[in-house]
Amino acid sequence: MTFVSALSARLLQAATFPDTIIARTIPERGVLEWTSGVLQVVVLLLGIGVLIATILLILSMRAGVRKFNETVDKLTTDAKPLLANATAIVGDAREVVAMLRTDVERVTDAAETLSEQLLDAAETTARRVDDVNAVLDVLQDELEDTALSAVSAIRGVRVGAGELTTGLSHPRPRRTPVPVDPDDDD
């Protein structure tokens, strides 16, 4: 039983037995004994006052709940556009993230392809450099052989020229120039 229904039951009982409404507490028994008296009106007024206070409290609570519901409704109404905007922003952000993922995948694929091409080009260049170095080594060997042959030939020419000059140790007679006659057609 709630407080209000218990109170209304007591008030109804007090109204039906008007002569026996004085409440007196017997401390040794802890029992309430109803006797006749003027307190019936006081108890009735106190009960009515409590009932009125309870009703006012309930009405106040209803008004508070109504205001709370109005506030919640207003916040809900005000929040709907914000929620729609937030939902749109989240959708846009998801699209941007998806595009960024796609772009990152493309860039990653392009970087992998480029690195493979660079590695292939580096290997090809290294092979070509090795080939050029081999050709240069052959050319260097041939140039060294040619230089040694040329040096040997030059030494041979010097030796031969030295021998030739020693064999011709006598001086040659000098020739005198013959005068030419300009009138002579022969």
Side-chain angles (χ1 to χ4, degrees), residues 5-75:
S5 61
L7 183 62
S8 62
R10 295 261 182 174
L11 287 174
L12 186 62
Q13 183 184 13
T16 56
F17 302 107
D19 293 337
T20 61
I21 292 267
I22 286 193
R24 181 169 57 108
T25 304
I26 301 171
E28 47 277 80
R29 289 193 205 160
V31 180
L32 213 52
E33 192 178 287
W34 295 94
T35 60
S36 64
V38 180
L39 287 179
Q40 177 182 10
V41 177
V42 173
V43 170
L44 184 62
L45 289 177
L46 285 175
I48 291 173
V50 168
L51 184 61
I52 291 172
T54 305
I55 290 171
L56 290 175
L57 180 64
I58 290 172
L59 291 176
S60 165
M61 287 174 60
R62 279 188 182 173
V65 168
R66 194 174 300 121
K67 278 190 175 187
F68 178 75
N69 286 338
E70 289 173 1
T71 304
V72 168
D73 289 342
K74 185 176 184 220
L75 287 175

Side-chain angles (χ1 to χ4, degrees), residues 62-115:
R62 279 188 182 173
V65 168
R66 194 174 300 121
K67 278 190 175 187
F68 178 75
N69 286 338
E70 289 173 1
T71 304
V72 168
D73 289 342
K74 185 176 184 220
L75 287 175
T76 303
T77 305
D78 292 347
K80 282 182 183 178
L82 296 175
L83 183 61
N85 289 342
T87 304
I89 289 170
V90 168
D92 292 345
R94 286 182 179 158
E95 289 177 14
V96 168
V97 167
M99 290 185 336
L100 286 175
R101 283 183 181 157
T102 304
D103 291 346
V104 165
E105 289 173 2
R106 287 181 187 162
V107 168
T108 302
D109 291 343
E112 287 175 0
T113 304
L114 183 61
S115 73

